């Protein structure tokens, strides 16, 4: 276990926001978490669990003990008649895991290619893209409790996955360190190509029966065209969740804004496109201080260079107010504000 003091977190968050961790501990396995729990000073101190920092907004220096999860290793652990089970350390890069599975002939994660961050954070917000969510490929995970030091294996029902949500955002937030995740990749493989952008690529390339690698390549190309690369423009991906409303609320909004982009969900509720609403309020491309709204996608807030977390949050609040004023909908941030 490595304990460091006064560590700059700027390189450890994709927004590139400045903040200093008073204490940072690198976690390479369950035993490191237990050493923290048993440590005379660290054991009782409040903790913050850090993965790749791609879904956080740092607004201040961190007095909490930052546990930076760096558990490594990827392996095929089981071959069943109807699935492959792959296990990955929580500190592995999610995208590198997708690449590894494809290289080993174990498809199923390709729609979630190029999502930034670590494997351990993937269940926290039930990551998803292009018609597939983590919960659709989830088998189980290992976690260590930060109060008792006990290791547990949790299945899907305890994880309580929802839209960009799980138990790790509620009762187990900063309480359970996820150390390993197991994914169930269904056999035989079936491509998921219903999403409009992918269907268009299939049509344009004249492909009727794509390979997993083709789907991954299309997803990567679509994402590169739409989203800013955090290596060049600081950001945390979609800044707001798409709000879900009742049919009555939706009818009311359509009455006033007939063009609003919306998607009916299987349970009868309706998902509204937050990016469309932000754009309709005139925010696309705008800058406030050193934070701004990405020119190609109004759902993404960016660091124009040298921004601090409070500037990002001032911009976010201004957007929330205009969207509320026009549509009566309160947008909820997707990243964790620290
Ligand atoms: C350009 C861009 C595009 C994105 N696109 C998508 C997308 O398409 N779909 C999507 O769902 N998300 C997307 N995101 C958001 C982000 O990639 C995911 O939320 C990702 O899972 C965050 O991983 P991370 O390791 O960076 O987590 P962090 O930002 O480090 O942490 C996020 C949360 O998870 C907790 N956490 C992290 N690791 C652990 C662990 N091992 N155990 C317990 N808790 C932990 C943290 O405490 C924090 O609350 C995007 C982000 C960016 C920058």
């Amino acid at each position: 276990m490595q304990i460091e003091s006064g560590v700059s977190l700027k390189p450890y968050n994709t927004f590139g926001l400045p903040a200093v961790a008073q204490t940072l501990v690198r976690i390479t396995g369950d035993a490191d978490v237990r050493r923290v729990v048993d440590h005379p000073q660290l054991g009782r101190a409040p903790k913050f669990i850090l993965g790749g920092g791609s879904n956080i907004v740092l607004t201040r220096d961190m007095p909490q003990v930052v546990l930076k999860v760096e558990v490594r290793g990827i392996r095929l652990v089981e071959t069943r008649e109807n699935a492959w089970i792959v296990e990955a350390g929580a500190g592995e890069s999610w995208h590198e895991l997708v690449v590894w599975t494809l290289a080993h002939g174990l498809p199923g994660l390709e729609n979630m290619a190029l999502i930034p961050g670590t494997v351990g954070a993937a269940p926290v917000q039930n990551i998803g893209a292009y018609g597939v969510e983590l919960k659709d490929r989830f088998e189980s995970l290992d976690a260590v409790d930060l109060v008792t030091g006990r290791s547990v294996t949790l299945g899907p029902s305890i994880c309580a996955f929802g839209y960009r949500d799980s138990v790790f955002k509620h009762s187990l937030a900063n309480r359970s360190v996820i150390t390993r995740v197991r994914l169930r990749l269904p056999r035989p493989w079936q491509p998921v190509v219903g999403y409009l952008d992918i269907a268009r690529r299939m049509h344009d390339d004249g492909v009727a029966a794509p390979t997993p690698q083709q789907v991954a390549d299309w997803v990567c190309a679509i994402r590169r065209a739409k989203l800013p690369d955090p290596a060049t423009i600081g950001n945390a991906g979609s800044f707001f969740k798409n709000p879900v409303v009742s049919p009555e609320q939706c009818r009311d909004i359509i009455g006033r804004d007939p063009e609003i982009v919306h998607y009916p969900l299987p349970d009868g509720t309706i998902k509204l496109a937050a990016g469309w609403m932000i754009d309709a309020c005139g925010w696309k491309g705008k800058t406030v201080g050193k934070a701004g709204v990405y020119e190609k996608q109004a759902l993404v807030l960016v660091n124009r260079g040298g921004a601090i977390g409070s500037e990002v949050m001032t911009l976010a609040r201004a957007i929330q107010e205009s969207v509320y004023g026009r549509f009566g909908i309160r947008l909820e941030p997707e990243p964790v504000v620290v």
Side-chain angles (χ1 to χ4, degrees):
M1 178 173 76
Q2 223 180 308
I3 305 175
E4 298 163 44
S5 306
V7 180
S8 166
L9 297 176
K10 202 169 173 181
Y12 296 145
N13 75 98
T14 58
F15 238 125
L17 299 170
V20 173
Q22 209 170 304
T23 310
L24 183 141
V25 181
R26 292 177 196 272
I27 301 292
T28 58
D30 291 27
D32 279 345
V33 185
R34 275 191 289 277
R35 279 186 205 110
V36 170
V37 173
D38 294 339
H39 192 278
Q41 280 90 46
L42 303 183
R44 283 161 177 259
K47 319 279 190 309
F48 179 78
I49 307 165
L50 179 64
S54 65
N55 208 28
I56 55 172
V57 183
L58 297 175
T59 59
R60 57 183 169 84
D61 290 342
M62 299 194 63
Q64 305 97 312
V65 175
V66 174
L67 303 179
K68 187 164 185 310
V69 180
E70 299 185 346
V71 182
R72 300 270 177 247
I74 304 179
R75 62 193 184 116
L76 172 66
V77 287
E78 201 184 329
T79 301
R80 297 181 190 156
E81 210 175 297
N82 61 357
W84 293 286
I85 309 297
V86 170
E87 181 184 88
E92 293 288 346
S93 140
W94 173 264
H95 178 67
E96 290 308 318
L97 168 65
V98 177
V99 170
W100 185 95
T101 53
L102 291 173
H104 287 77
L106 307 167
L109 302 180
E110 54 287 338
N111 292 55
M112 293 185 281
L114 222 56
I115 297 182
T118 55
V119 167
V124 175
Q125 78 147 357
N126 180 28
I127 59 167
Y130 301 100
V132 180
E133 287 184 319
L134 179 98
K135 73 171 171 53
D136 304 323
R137 301 288 181 262
F138 181 78
E139 173 73 8
S140 62
L141 60 77
D142 297 337
V144 187
D145 188 289
L146 276 171
V147 175
T148 63
R150 233 177 272 141
S151 292
V152 287
T153 296
L154 306 179
S157 60
I158 291 183
C159 294
F161 295 121
Y163 166 57
R164 300 294 173 268
D165 201 22
S166 76
V167 70
F168 303 101
K169 281 196 161 185
H170 303 282
S171 57
L172 295 185
N174 290 307
R175 163 91 198 235
S176 269
V177 181
I178 298 167
T179 51
R180 264 174 303 277
V181 178
R182 279 171 292 279
L183 298 149
R184 185 177 33 76
L185 309 176
R187 300 171 67 189
W189 175 75
Q190 299 276 351
V192 179
V193 290
Y195 221 86
L196 190 63
D197 285 339
I198 299 185
R200 254 192 220 131
R201 296 259 166 174
M202 265 177 83
H203 178 262
D204 292 351
D205 290 2
V207 175
T211 64
Q213 189 60 53
Q214 275 173 320
V215 177
D217 292 344
W218 289 328
V219 167
C220 290
I222 295 164
R223 293 182 68 94
R224 287 195 177 105
K226 275 191 177 173
L227 292 167
D229 177 358
T232 48
I233 306 174
N235 75 95
S238 302
F239 198 92
F240 297 102
K241 292 185 188 180
N242 289 316
V244 176
V245 297
S246 66
E248 296 73 39
Q249 269 177 302
C250 189
R251 264 196 301 276
D252 187 41
I253 296 171
I254 289 175
R256 284 176 281 133
D257 279 281
E259 283 168 17
I260 190 162
V261 177
H262 60 286
Y263 312 93
L265 298 177
D267 65 359
T269 57
I270 291 144
K271 192 190 271 187
L272 305 176
W276 186 90
M277 292 194 271
I278 298 167
D279 194 7
C281 291
W283 281 103
K284 199 189 258 182
K286 289 272 163 65
T287 300
V288 172
K290 290 173 180 155
V293 181
Y294 190 49
E295 287 69 15
K296 294 188 205 164
Q297 168 56 276
L299 198 51
V300 178
L301 304 194
V302 295
N303 182 346
R304 300 261 187 235
I308 58 173
S310 58
E311 283 173 304
V312 174
M313 292 315 295
T314 300
L315 172 61
R317 276 190 288 273
I319 292 172
Q320 282 171 314
E321 273 167 33
S322 353
V323 169
Y324 186 74
R326 173 153 172 192
F327 299 100
I329 299 281
R330 182 94 42 213
L331 291 182
E332 200 188 316
E334 188 183 293
V336 178
V337 181
V338 193

